[in-house]
Amino acid sequence: MGVLFCCFFFFKQKTAYEMLRSLVGSEMCIRDRLTQDQQARLLANPATSNPLFLELLVSELVQFGPFEQLERQIDELSNLSDIRGLLLHILKRLVSLFPPVGNRSGHASPVFWFLAFLTVSKIGLRPEALRELLGLGSEGDGIVFLALRSALLSSGIATEYSDMLVLKNSQVREIIAEWCRDVKRHSHVTLLAHHAQRPIFSTVGGKVNYDEQRIVELAHHINTLGAEEASQLLPCVLLDNLLLNHYSVMERAFDIHLAPHRRIAVYTALCLAGTQHREDLGAKALFNLRHVLANDLRVMCKYEQAERWSRENLDATSPDNHEERSLCMSELANILTDQAKYPQAAQLFEDAIDILNRAPIESFGSAAHRDTLHARLLNNLSMCRHHQGQVKESLMLRLSALELKTKHVLPGEPDPTLGLAYMNIGASQESLDMIGDAAASLERAVDLIGETVGERHPLFASALNNLGGVRFKQGLELQAMDMYQRAQRAFEEAYGPRHIQVAAAMHNIGWAYNNMRQFDLSREAYEMAIEIKAENYGTRQHPDVAGSLTNLAGLLYERGDFEAAQQAFREEVEIYKAVGMDESFLEAASIAQKNYEVCSEKLSAMVATS
């Protein structure tokens, strides 16, 4: 590697022929002279009239001109027409000689060292700017800084030819950025292949273990390369490990350790790779994979892509597979519900329920299993009816779902999904201002869920969140706050402190503090909720972020900070424009716009009276 740090040899007072005749090779070159024919072939190239081109060419021959390759090297160099071509030639050969294999310590590859040396010495680019350009940290590889220091010693050469440089700094940046991207891509390819060859999940003594860091790194490489390219690099051994042997654990691990916007690329790559190995993996694994991908895309409001995968699942499902077909239709209907396409969604839900009712019980394994699926579909349809403003019908559907569930619950064996049914009923009752009934339903939900899965489970935290809202309406503010904070702690224990569910709990805590007139704490909670949501969605332009902005803006308005409130309302409006002004967001966007205008009027009035 030491050859990379040899200084370039520049002969300032000699002619081109003299430079070539006196060429002395490095340790890699066993010749000390070029023949006259070789010199003539090189100098016949018009580009050698540019001193910078000639010096680069000389340096290339000095350092990288082994005897057995010299003739081919001269032929290639003679055909280059400009400095850009010469730089690309050097870099391509470097990449072939020194494959940019990265490692977990983040040390730069030889290509990066060469770029650092070449760029600073020839163009005089400041090392700070170069480090930023190459993505190097303030405490990078010591060899990189050695290269930068060596380069600075010879940087005065650039000034001598300042009026003759064909290649400007902007062009250099463009070339280097292009090659840095390529080098990093190769590095991610290498590392992804390294990770993919070893199982991520393993079973020891009946317990499934995995390395959290490897999951994060795998997702990083896939997100950097893109799902399509990454899918070509995932071997069957990894697909088997993830999709056949440990699917349920994988889904939970990805949910805990990867934000939704990062999971999407991973699941897409797995879907694409799985499709190529359909016979090996089986239809069930792909069905599950497309299902979770569609759900994550739905969470990210990428409805067109979510519909694509959901419909692909539906098209791939046999008409005789009543369970999977009804689930596909329900999933697609949920996506349509989120887009406020309520009539189409309701029709799909009803068609799915009709499939269940007409299919023989044997196709579901048992009546209990069929009734469980039926109850789930009724709950989903109830959500659609709720959004349509048909809250009473929504409540009746949820009560019917509860009746189906209770038919098969054995004494002494409580079912957590029964608690979920009571939680849904409580939400409908709260919307109908049946506060007493809602409190009773949610209390039952909290008890059932706590008995079955424990108080640290995310489902228990969700039930606490809902009950906290009812407690506030009952005037029990301290109880409500305690429930919100317990929910936050449960979500953090289950998912970690930066999960989207933690953000939802923080939003509720902010709302509670606001109602308790503790405005500073309320603002802090809202801002934390916005920060975590944006981190999980990969952007602030998401309706969920807009929801927290609405509350924050209202708080700022109450405090008389009209300028900050105006900015928050403006951002809310811009979010709805960015995600698309479909029916589901029109009303919220209209309200935000009106609030923005009210703030503007307040500010104008303040200016007029000042």
Side-chain angles (χ1 to χ4, degrees):
M1 293 292 186
V3 70
L4 287 175
F5 302 103
C6 295
C7 290
F8 289 119
F9 298 103
F10 299 110
F11 305 89
K12 301 179 182 178
Q13 305 300 320
K14 295 183 179 181
T15 67
Y17 271 102
E18 289 171 330
M19 288 171 65
L20 289 174
R21 283 202 303 270
S22 61
L23 182 63
V24 178
S26 68
E27 60 185 356
M28 293 183 64
C29 185
I30 60 173
R31 285 196 167 201
D32 62 359
R33 291 286 190 277
L34 296 179
T35 65
Q36 289 187 352
D37 176 65
Q38 290 170 335
Q39 295 176 41
R41 281 156 56 197
L42 287 170
L43 294 175
N45 185 345
T48 56
S49 61
N50 184 319
L52 181 59
F53 182 96
L54 185 58
E55 288 190 355
L56 282 171
L57 183 147
V58 168
S59 299
E60 172 71 354
L61 287 172
V62 166
Q63 297 186 62
F64 303 104
F67 177 78
E68 65 275 12
Q69 298 179 16
L70 188 59
E71 280 296 319
R72 188 183 68 183
Q73 180 87 317
I74 289 174
D75 285 341
E76 291 176 354
L77 293 173
S78 299
N79 292 323
L80 298 173
S81 60
D82 54 24
I83 293 179
R84 178 186 176 86
L86 179 55
L87 275 175
L88 293 177
H89 168 85
I90 294 170
L91 291 170
K92 284 179 180 177
R93 187 185 46 71
L94 267 177
V95 168
S96 67
L97 289 175
F98 304 101
V101 179
N103 55 52
R104 294 180 67 170
S105 66
H107 289 184
S109 72
V111 177
F112 281 98
W113 302 335
F114 174 77
L115 289 171
F117 184 89
L118 179 68
T119 307
V120 177
S121 63
K122 295 298 182 185
I123 310 301
L125 192 63
R126 291 181 300 105
E128 294 83 6
L130 182 66
R131 286 215 308 272
E132 180 182 353
L133 185 66
L134 298 181
L136 301 175
S138 58
E139 298 180 1
D141 195 315
I143 301 178
V144 174
F145 294 115
L146 176 62
L148 292 172
R149 188 179 68 176
S150 300
L152 284 172
L153 294 176
S154 57
S155 61
I157 297 168
T159 59
E160 182 175 348
Y161 300 116
S162 59
D163 59 335
M164 303 174 68
L165 287 176
V166 177
L167 198 63
K168 303 301 181 184
N169 279 357
S170 60
Q171 295 173 286
V172 173
R173 289 172 185 270
E174 178 187 343
I175 292 174
I176 292 179
E178 177 184 338
W179 274 93
C180 282
R181 286 192 296 270
D182 194 49
V183 167
K184 288 180 180 179
R185 190 188 69 79
H186 282 297
S187 177
H188 286 293
V189 167
T190 303
L191 290 171
L192 177 59
H194 172 69
H195 283 295
Q197 289 299 332
R198 295 181 297 145
I200 290 180
F201 296 89
S202 59
T203 304
V204 179
K207 181 182 179 182
V208 179
N209 299 314
Y210 63 86
D211 184 343
E212 172 188 338
Q213 185 61 31
R214 284 196 60 210
I215 289 177
V216 173
E217 289 177 358
L218 178 74
H220 173 61
H221 300 316
I222 291 176
N223 275 270
T224 302
L225 290 171
E228 188 167 347
E229 182 173 3
S231 70
Q232 306 297 318
L233 304 169
L234 300 178
C236 288
V237 63
L238 180 68
L239 299 175
D240 290 347
N241 181 250
L242 296 181
L243 305 181
L244 291 184
N245 304 330
H246 300 99
Y247 180 84
S248 60
V249 181
M250 176 203 76
E251 187 177 339
R252 175 162 173 76
F254 284 5
D255 187 46
I256 293 173
H257 301 300
L258 302 177
H261 73 283
R262 301 192 69 77
R263 285 201 303 266
I264 285 172
V266 178
Y267 282 135
T268 303
L270 290 173
C271 274
L272 294 172
T275 303
Q276 298 168 16
H277 306 284
R278 185 186 302 271
E279 294 181 3
D280 297 328
L281 289 175
K284 184 63 177 177
L286 283 174
F287 177 88
N288 291 334
L289 198 54
R290 286 190 289 253
H291 170 72
V292 294
L293 175 56
N295 186 63
D296 273 342
L297 288 164
R298 174 189 166 204
V299 168
M300 292 297 297
C301 298
K302 297 185 176 182
Y303 299 121
E304 185 176 343
Q305 295 177 52
E307 276 194 51
R308 170 207 161 185
W309 288 107
S310 184
R311 290 188 186 279
E312 189 168 321
N313 244 0
L314 184 59
D315 293 340
T317 304
S318 167
D320 297 328
N321 192 332
H322 305 104
E323 178 177 343
E324 287 191 356
R325 195 154 187 82
S326 62
L327 287 176
C328 286
M329 295 169 74
S330 175
E331 177 183 79
L332 182 56
N334 283 329
I335 296 169
L336 294 172
T337 298
D338 285 357
Q339 299 176 78
K341 298 177 179 179
Y342 303 124
Q344 302 97 305
Q347 186 61 57
L348 272 173
F349 282 131
E350 290 169 354
D351 290 345
I353 291 170
D354 187 53
I355 287 175
L356 292 184
N357 290 333
R358 287 189 292 104
I361 292 177
E362 300 79 51
S363 62
F364 300 99
S366 68
H369 185 53
R370 185 188 68 174
D371 286 346
T372 298
L373 295 173
H374 191 178
R376 185 187 306 176
L377 288 170
L378 288 174
N379 269 322
N380 289 343
L381 176 58
S382 74
M383 184 64 69
C384 182
R385 295 301 188 207
H386 186 96
H387 285 302
Q388 287 179 289
Q390 301 174 23
V391 184
K392 288 184 179 179
E393 183 180 344
S394 172
L395 176 58
M396 296 305 297
L397 288 167
R398 289 174 174 177
L399 289 170
S400 297
L402 176 63
E403 184 180 351
L404 284 171
K405 285 181 176 293
T406 54
K407 280 170 57 177
H408 305 284
V409 175
L410 299 175
E413 294 185 11
D415 183 348
T417 61
L418 198 60
L420 180 60
Y422 277 107
M423 189 163 65
N424 291 332
I425 289 168
S428 290
Q429 290 168 332
E430 183 184 357
S431 297
L432 291 167
D433 288 328
M434 302 165 60
I435 303 302
D437 292 333
S441 296
L442 291 169
E443 287 166 5
R444 180 69 174 141
V446 168
D447 290 341
L448 283 169
I449 294 170
E451 288 174 14
T452 52
V453 297
E455 296 190 2
R456 295 185 176 183
H457 195 277
L459 189 57
F460 182 80
S462 296
L464 277 179
N465 254 333
N466 287 14
L467 182 55
V470 172
R471 288 288 187 251
F472 247 104
K473 292 185 177 180
Q474 291 178 309
L476 303 173
E477 295 179 347
L478 293 179
Q479 281 190 35
M481 178 60 78
D482 177 65
M483 290 177 178
Y484 285 147
Q485 291 173 337
R486 286 170 61 195
Q488 179 200 352
R489 290 193 295 270
F491 282 133
E492 285 188 358
E493 287 188 23
Y495 298 125
R498 308 297 291 180
H499 195 268
I500 192 66
Q501 292 284 15
V502 176
M506 291 301 303
H507 176 94
N508 287 342
I509 289 171
W511 177 78
Y513 275 132
N514 188 34
N515 281 276
M516 296 166 69
R517 315 303 288 175
Q518 297 186 38
F519 297 118
D520 290 339
L521 292 174
S522 176
R523 179 172 184 172
E524 182 180 330
Y526 282 140
E527 288 175 344
M528 178 61 71
I530 291 169
E531 180 183 319
I532 297 174
K533 287 178 180 181
E535 185 178 301
N536 276 269
Y537 296 128
T539 177
R540 288 174 68 97
Q541 294 188 331
H542 190 282
D544 198 17
V545 176
S548 291
L549 277 171
T550 299
N551 287 21
L552 175 60
L555 166 65
L556 294 169
Y557 184 89
E558 286 186 35
R559 299 295 303 277
D561 191 347
F562 302 122
E563 185 173 357
Q566 181 194 46
Q567 291 174 358
F569 283 128
R570 180 194 297 122
E571 184 177 0
E572 187 185 354
V573 171
E574 292 303 318
I575 288 173
Y576 289 124
K577 288 180 179 178
V579 299
M581 299 288 281
D582 60 30
E583 291 182 38
S584 56
F585 304 134
L586 278 176
E587 183 179 359
S590 175
I591 293 172
Q593 180 63 38
K594 290 176 182 176
N595 287 334
Y596 170 77
E597 292 168 1
V598 169
C599 289
S600 299
E601 291 172 3
K602 288 281 187 182
L603 289 171
S604 298
M606 290 171 63
V607 171
T609 56
S610 62

